[in-house]
Amino acid sequence: MASVVDKQQQPTHNTAMDEDDEVLITADQLNSVVAASSSAAVEGAAKSDKPDFAPLSAKDLQTKRNELRRIRVPPHRFSPLKADWLKIYSPIVEYLKLQIRMNPKTRMIEIRACAETEDVGAIQKAADFVRAYCMGFTAEDSLALLRMEDLFLETFEVKDVKTLNGDHLSRAIGRIAGKDGKTKFTIENTTKTRIVLADSKIHILGTYQNIKIARDAVCNLILGSPPGKVYSNLRTLSSRMKERF
Amino acid sequence: MGKKRSSTTPSVGQPASVVDDSFAQTIPDSFIKQFISRPGAFVVPSATARAAAMEVVGSTYNAANFSDKFGLYDDWNTVLESGFDPSLQIWELINVRNEPVLKYTTDIMKELSQLIDSVNDESDSNASDSDEEEEGIEGDSAASEDEVMSAEVSEDAMSEEESDNAEQLDLDSEADSASDLDSSNDKGMDDDSEEDDDEEDGTRKPSVLDDQFFSLADVAKFADDAEEEDMRDRAILAGDYPKPPAGQDDEESDDSDEDDEDDIDMFQDLTALDDDEDDDSDEEAAGAKADEMMYTDFFKAPRGSKRGMARASLEKHAKRVKFDPNTVSDSDASEPEADLESEPESHPVTRTRNLFADDDDVDDDNGGGAADSKSEFEKRQEKLQGLITKLEDEAVDKKHWAMTGEVTSAARPKDSLLEEDLEFEHVQKPVPIVTQEATQTLEDVIKRRILNEEWDDVERKKDVQAKPFRPSEFIELNDKAPKKSLAEEYEDDYMAQKAGDSYVAEDDAKLAVTHREIDVQFRNLFAQLDALSHFHFTPKPATADIEICTSAPALQMEEKLPVNV
């Protein structure tokens, strides 16, 4: 999820920036003009009890540069995180130029933007990446989030689709997975998504369209359709998709 | 008949010697030799024969005339002195004279003909007697003959050109009285034919179309005759049977008996008749059917009667028209009679077709049924009847053994099954007979097939129904764990999209390498297998191999002697 706030690229943090500030017409100068006009207006009026805030500059309007994000790691992902830590922090620090650290006491991963961070939406991407990993996706699959912007995460529960209890629930989950994960893999391969089955929760990673297809397939499986039917539907859909491209 | 000899009494104005001489000179010997001994001389009318005959006739007539039988010379003289025109007188005289003469001569002729028959039956040694008798009879015969002759002569006189000639001829004929009866009869016939010819000559009218071969008058006459016959036939067919001819002609005295037999009694019931060959039987049969007897059956028609003339003409024509040429012998006539008697009801209507055939023929017709005397309907009916009788016989007969159902060998004749066409159900296939022809044709077929490559291979059947287009079936779902991560997949997609077809994914590249290895291995294997199975040797396919060849001379290369040592 990229940050909605302006995506103005900032130059690398160095002393040249101060010099540039003098050359560039920054918003300060504009603000000063505005402030001048507004102050005049304010002075005109009688001084009130309201606190008087100076108008924010463009720079102030920007979000905090040194933004911090914290993502909690669930206990079942703790040991895999230890194994895949290299794979996780390397792309964040190298490509996104963010600062990342793991707080084992609170079991939290903290990501902070620094002066080197170029991308405004980098921290969001990094946060999503870590979140995806914490959901259960592999680091490689989650890496796609960093690379592509139009990948999304979808999460829903079995009970959202259908209220199932006890064995039915188990059977539904079993249906989704299939023998040795066959059904899940079929869906993943056909729709170019990644699915994580966590008991009752189902996470899907992929593009919007593919998520939809995968979701429909999984829902059909939950609702009780046999895997063969789901397969045939997937086949038809995939052929159509291939034709389109 | 010696009374004739008394003609030596001289008539008025004639010496007896003259009469004797006249009788003696009536028929000269030359005439007898030339014509009477050879009757064939009269076949073709010749002028000489005619002249001689006329002379004889004349002499006999004269001889007869001068006999005192007819005491009419007083009338003669009265006519002569009557003072009429001599030319007319002559005709009157002739008429006066000829009538009694003719009457007398006809009677005498009949008697004489009977005499002659009896004379001929006797031995020829009596020829002299017969001659004498004939000579004695000459007067009568001459008289009777003269009547005929005069009649003809008078006819001739009418038709002849000059009256003088006619007079002369008449005088000659009157003078001659003696003649042989046969000769006279022959003469009569000859004269008849001659006069008929003369008549025909007279009626012939010259026409433009006539030439050497064609005569229009002949054609017209022929057509008229044919027409007349046709009318007569039609009348007969219609049922209008002409009455049997009443009288008989004097000319055909020879055929008089035959004419009697030719008399067909139409109203006679033949079934009651016995053998009727002779006149006696006829009379007996006629006696039995007294109601149906007619005068004309037994007697000739009176002279000069119309019926007699008509009958003569009919018979004349009848002689020409003879439908039934079957002249069955008399002995066969009895058989149909017997048949008729046995089946009296088979022919209730006795229809006759050939009215002018002999009685024998008529009987045969009625009994046996000549083919061309029956009508079409009768023929058809006969055929049908025959067919019916045949079928009836078949039905009544015993059945053919093959039609009687189950037949054992005892019930049928020996070897009869061989002639029957039997049908069997054969359990085994019939053994093919190998003949030269069969093998030749078979080999030809094989050669042709090989040359044209017309094999009988079984061809795979293709489903005619078009398969529905299911692109989804083309896709194979992969149910294995994805080897590529999501990031890699998208990366590969992106690279493929960017690079086009040249980009090959890493995994695909590895796969392709393995594929190539497998390909090579397979090719080697198949080459070895082909070498084993091919009839003709095929060498290994040539592959580009790098060979290192040094351009050193072969001797140097091969030498192994240590040179440098």
Side-chain angles (χ1 to χ4, degrees), chain B residues 434-494:
Chain B
V434 181
T435 59
Q436 197 71 22
E437 250 185 40
T439 43
Q440 194 64 36
T441 52
L442 194 65
E443 282 168 7
D444 288 339
V445 167
I446 290 165
K447 282 180 199 163
R448 200 190 71 230
R449 285 281 191 95
I450 290 166
L451 288 169
N452 298 341
E453 293 196 11
E454 298 167 359
W455 313 121
D456 280 341
D457 296 339
V458 179
E459 284 172 20
R460 180 173 279 280
K461 261 202 235 173
K462 282 185 185 170
D463 193 1
V464 180
Q465 265 187 349
K467 269 190 175 177
F469 177 64
R470 291 243 199 91
S472 58
E473 284 169 12
F474 297 126
I475 294 157
E476 281 236 355
L477 291 176
N478 185 17
D479 57 357
K480 297 280 179 289
K483 288 187 185 95
K484 284 196 255 182
S485 71
L486 203 64
E488 280 167 13
E489 272 183 31
Y490 279 114
E491 183 193 339
D492 291 340
D493 287 345
Y494 175 71

Side-chain angles (χ1 to χ4, degrees), chain B residues 268-276 332-352 359-369 374:
Chain B
Q268 224 174 18
D269 188 10
L270 291 164
T271 54
L273 276 174
D274 294 331
D275 297 338
D276 52 347
D332 291 340
S334 61
E335 292 176 2
E337 295 291 342
D339 290 339
L340 286 166
E341 285 174 352
S342 65
E343 301 176 23
E345 298 176 356
S346 62
H347 299 282
V349 176
T350 62
R351 262 205 289 140
T352 51
D359 280 348
D360 303 334
D361 293 343
V362 169
D363 288 341
D364 289 338
D365 285 344
N366 284 333
K374 288 203 171 264

